[in-house]
Amino acid sequence: MTDQSATMSILKDYILVEFLPGEDPGHLTPSTPLVSTGILDSLAMLKLVAFIEREFDIPVNAHEVDEEHLNTLQSICALVASKRSLVR
Amino acid sequence: MKLHQYLLDAAQRWPSKVAIQELDGSSITYEDLDAQSSRLRDRLASIGVQPGDRVGFWLHKSADAVVTLFAILKAGAAYVPIDPTGPAARNNYILADCRVAAIVIEERFKPMLEVHGDEGWHPAILDIDEAGGRKWVGDALTHNVGAGTSLTVSPVGAHDLAFILYTSGSTGKPKGVQLTHENASSFIEWCARTFSLTSSDRFSSHAPFHFDLSVFDIFGSVKHGGTLLIISEEVGKQPYELAQLIADHRITVWYSAPSILSLMAQFGYLDTRDYSALRLVLFAGEVFPINHLKLLTTYWPHPQYFNLYGPTETNVCTYYQVPTPIPADQMEPVPIGRVCSHLEGILVQADGTEMSEATEGELCIHGPAVTRGYWNLPEQSQRCFVEVNGRRYYRTGDIVREEGDGNLVYLGRKDRMIKKRGFRVELGEIEVCLYRHPDIREAAVVALADDSVGMRVHAHIVSKQGKPLSLIDMKTFCSEHIPIYMIPDRFSFHSSLPKTSTDKIDYQTLKSWSRS
């Protein structure tokens, strides 16, 4: 499994368990909107960011806790990848 | 008093003072705000806007949106703010419902605009490239109207309509609360007396312009020659960013719903910055969870705190100054306080008669800030008022108790309306939305208090196939029909819904299901 697909899988599992209990995993695709549909509200975004910081040991800036960076699994993965490249 | 008179006066007294500031650093002085809004007024008049008309604006929150609303008022029309984050279908319904004469719209929202032109309704469209950063107003006006052009506009009276704010409607469609210049200015004058506002104040503009808290932000600031800091929709949801800008921009007067203050107290790192400029924290729209309010006042011990209460139909009608520090053993939410001095309040029984002895009942309000009613809904408007001793009182629908010290305590609603993130939400409107879904047989929605966010909305569903539906599909469907704050937080699927003996939905049982 590549770095990116492993990241996607970890994030997908976390979002399904925390915010979409009982959802068919097949329905959560890389481009499913999460913030604009209310799946992630303000509090959920903060929880997700705390998870990302802990799980991947990377810092996320406050201004990145928004729809632009967190609206889809794809954009969240891109955020994680960009942070990891800075840490390395 | 006409609302735009505040701007005319401020432009005379403080022409070079910054009136509106955006987070990117761009700003506009009172002189320019007055001049730009006059030019846009002329442009609106030239495309056919007349006194008494309604004009919609579908712009993101910006200094240009403030220019636009003052231009509409100067044209003698009433402004109708459209939620730029709201579903297109709802926004188009609002524009058609009040038959706006013109729509000022940003290019990016234009694909969502649908004007059918039925029944002779043909609004003029004034589209602009992009609001914010003062990019468009100058450009749009230069090639639309010659410099110095000033068209004659009929005078406006204080009893004329100034704006219409649409709120959630129990029938599934939003309803427009009509507010006159006098309705709003009587409230602003009361604020001026109560909060001792001055030209050195720096006001936050956290609430969106379609939300009634913005009336204080905009006109309270302009009346006093203060500076209004426009906080965009996106930044407005981020507690850490907000906390930072309150300190960095040396905000002196903050006004918002409690939910974002709760998040700031928990996640804003409020002990890391200097908040000495902040002197007044106003909150309204919902109950402030007492533990979060205690936490906030621990971080910010010096400002004065006021709990402001009131529906859009009256704007703020009661207020309570929170004594600080809040005792550690206080577990009850703070009271909603006393009726504001420009209004009168009475408590009535369910049948609409005034209570003589009892101290618990529905709060009803009379006075200059009270709406005349809803746009184009005469029967619903009629039902919202009660006449007592020859006076017309607005029935708030809120049940309150008068304490021995004269303060009112909020007990709950007499109907199915709730407040979420400060917004009014009719649970019935959510149910109407859910019933539009092709796979839903039955839907019922309840709301429960939640310590972290105030209110949680729980939808109980019976699907046509008898199986659970996709949560993603549910949320996505809702986001296409109702604003994001109305989308249920939880969905549960059942084989049937509990019913009362008269075969109505048993909401009490559903609430107990939600709690378990």
Side-chain angles (χ1 to χ4, degrees):
Chain A
M1 199 183 267
T2 63
D3 245 16
Q4 201 168 346
S5 62
T7 304
M8 176 81 76
S9 168
I10 292 168
L11 289 168
K12 184 172 172 172
D13 287 350
Y14 176 76
I15 289 170
L16 283 168
V17 170
E18 283 292 317
F19 310 118
L20 292 167
E23 179 63 76
D24 174 352
H27 284 149
L28 180 57
T29 69
S31 59
T32 302
L34 300 170
V35 179
S36 59
T37 52
I39 292 170
L40 296 181
D41 61 13
S42 303
L43 201 58
M45 284 197 278
L46 291 165
K47 279 185 181 171
L48 173 65
V49 165
F51 171 77
I52 291 171
E53 291 186 321
R54 200 170 57 241
E55 182 69 25
F56 302 107
D57 196 21
I58 50 172
V60 177
N61 296 322
H63 68 83
E64 290 161 335
V65 189
D66 62 8
E67 186 172 337
E68 184 189 339
H69 295 90
L70 304 178
N71 199 36
T72 62
L73 272 171
Q74 227 158 20
S75 61
I76 304 168
C77 281
L79 177 70
V80 172
S82 72
K83 296 287 166 188
R84 279 177 152 174
S85 66
L86 292 176
V87 172
R88 279 169 189 166
Chain B
M1 181 71 179
K2 290 167 288 187
L3 288 170
H4 46 284
Q5 189 63 45
Y6 290 140
L7 174 57
L8 302 179
D9 293 346
Q12 287 283 320
R13 287 187 68 184
W14 304 284
S16 54
K17 194 156 181 278
V18 170
I20 315 286
Q21 195 177 338
E22 292 186 358
L23 294 178
D24 68 359
S26 58
S27 62
I28 183 168
T29 63
Y30 275 102
E31 189 174 32
D32 286 346
L33 178 59
D34 183 34
Q36 296 271 22
S37 55
S38 290
R39 293 175 71 196
L40 184 55
R41 169 205 60 196
D42 292 348
R43 174 74 183 126
L44 290 170
S46 76
I47 60 173
V49 172
Q50 296 184 351
D53 281 344
R54 280 79 50 212
V55 176
F57 66 88
W58 194 335
L59 307 171
H60 83 270
K61 220 176 143 194
S62 55
D64 291 330
V66 181
V67 169
T68 303
L69 71 86
F70 272 110
I72 296 168
L73 293 175
K74 285 180 174 183
Y79 70 81
V80 182
I82 297 298
D83 176 5
T85 66
R90 195 175 204 263
N91 289 347
N92 285 312
Y93 170 82
I94 290 169
L95 292 167
D97 182 54
C98 63
R99 296 175 76 87
V100 292
I103 301 163
V104 182
I105 187 166
E106 243 175 293
E107 197 64 46
R108 65 165 123 165
F109 298 128
K110 225 178 156 192
M112 294 189 253
L113 178 66
E114 280 179 27
V115 176
H116 298 298
D118 50 347
E119 296 173 25
W121 177 57
H122 301 287
I125 312 290
L126 183 58
D127 57 324
I128 44 97
D129 289 344
E130 186 185 355
R134 297 190 58 205
K135 285 189 280 291
W136 71 270
V137 165
D139 292 352
L141 298 180
T142 326
H143 44 72
N144 282 327
V145 179
T149 305
S150 188
L151 305 173
T152 309
V153 172
S154 306
V156 183
H159 296 291
D160 287 321
L161 211 53
F163 47 91
I164 302 178
L165 300 181
Y166 276 78
T167 68
S168 181
S170 56
T171 58
K173 289 183 173 162
K175 57 182 193 276
V177 182
Q178 305 180 79
L179 293 150
T180 64
H181 289 262
E182 190 195 23
N183 291 154
S185 64
S186 62
F187 163 62
I188 294 298
E189 296 299 322
W190 173 81
C191 293
R193 293 192 297 274
T194 309
F195 305 126
S196 307
L197 305 169
T198 73
S199 63
S200 55
D201 274 321
R202 295 175 58 78
F203 294 74
S204 63
S205 166
H206 178 266
F209 291 163
H210 62 278
F211 189 16
D212 61 351
L213 271 66
S214 66
V215 173
F216 169 82
D217 300 337
I218 298 167
F219 300 107
S221 179
V222 170
K223 172 185 164 64
H224 294 90
T227 296
L228 182 67
L229 181 71
I230 301 284
I231 300 169
S232 63
E233 294 90 355
E234 197 52 54
V235 174
K237 294 181 218 156
Q238 301 173 33
Y240 181 83
E241 295 259 295
L242 282 177
Q244 191 169 349
L245 71 84
I246 292 172
D248 292 352
H249 288 272
R250 300 195 62 74
I251 293 296
T252 65
V253 180
W254 173 268
Y255 188 25
S256 73
S259 47
I260 190 64
L261 285 167
S262 284
L263 288 175
M264 269 197 273
Q266 295 171 85
F267 305 103
Y269 296 95
L270 299 183
D271 52 349
T272 59
R273 291 188 199 83
D274 172 18
Y275 293 97
S276 55
L278 187 63
R279 69 175 190 85
L280 199 56
V281 176
L282 310 175
F283 54 88
E286 61 193 332
V287 176
F288 203 142
I290 191 70
N291 285 339
H292 295 164
L293 181 56
K294 279 183 206 165
L295 186 61
L296 186 69
T297 55
T298 311
Y299 286 126
W300 293 343
H302 60 281
Q304 289 186 306
Y305 289 82
F306 283 89
N307 182 20
L308 307 182
Y309 154 87
T312 306
E313 287 85 343
T314 67
N315 213 312
V316 171
C317 61
T318 75
Y319 71 115
Y320 176 78
Q321 184 172 1
V322 182
T324 54
I326 300 171
D329 61 355
Q330 184 176 334
M331 292 302 160
E332 294 299 314
V334 295
I336 59 170
R338 295 165 188 274
V339 175
C340 303
S341 58
H342 64 303
L343 299 168
E344 285 173 43
I346 56 169
L347 302 185
V348 302
Q349 307 175 79
D351 64 2
T353 55
E354 188 177 8
M355 298 183 136
S356 49
E357 297 292 322
T359 56
E360 202 173 293
E362 181 184 356
L363 179 61
C364 299
I365 298 291
H366 166 84
V370 178
T371 178
R372 61 167 81 151
Y374 305 108
W375 178 264
N376 206 20
L377 293 171
E379 285 172 16
Q380 200 168 349
S381 301
Q382 189 63 33
R383 282 201 300 275
C384 286
F385 289 92
V386 59
E387 196 159 313
V388 177
N389 298 330
R391 287 193 161 165
R392 192 166 174 257
Y393 288 82
Y394 171 72
R395 302 183 72 154
T396 64
D398 288 325
I399 308 300
V400 304
R401 182 178 65 235
E402 188 175 353
E403 300 285 83
D405 61 4
N407 281 312
L408 300 171
V409 174
Y410 175 80
L411 299 176
R413 289 288 301 173
K414 69 168 189 179
D415 54 21
R416 298 188 62 226
M417 193 191 84
I418 61 150
K419 289 289 193 89
K420 194 172 169 204
R421 282 168 35 196
F423 292 99
R424 272 156 71 145
V425 175
E426 290 279 5
L427 298 178
E429 187 174 355
I430 303 175
E431 288 170 356
V432 170
C433 162
L434 291 169
Y435 271 108
R436 287 189 191 136
H437 193 287
D439 293 331
I440 288 179
R441 183 186 304 282
E442 269 190 298
V445 174
V446 294
L448 293 175
D450 177 295
D451 264 357
S452 56
V453 291
M455 273 292 187
R456 288 251 173 220
V457 173
H458 190 168
H460 293 274
I461 307 279
V462 177
S463 72
K464 286 186 178 162
Q465 292 82 9
K467 291 186 296 194
L469 301 171
S470 158
L471 291 179
I472 294 172
D473 177 45
M474 289 288 100
K475 295 235 179 190
T476 306
F477 179 82
C478 287
S479 73
E480 287 161 4
H481 294 88
I482 50 179
I484 197 160
Y485 55 84
M486 289 173 65
I487 299 174
D489 303 287
R490 283 179 65 196
F491 288 84
S492 294
F493 299 92
H494 311 282
S495 53
S496 63
L497 295 183
K499 303 281 167 50
T500 64
S501 56
T502 54
D503 207 31
K504 289 180 178 164
I505 300 278
D506 182 353
Y507 286 103
Q508 291 312 317
T509 301
L510 281 178
K511 278 190 177 182
S512 67
W513 288 5
S514 292
R515 281 190 204 98
S516 61

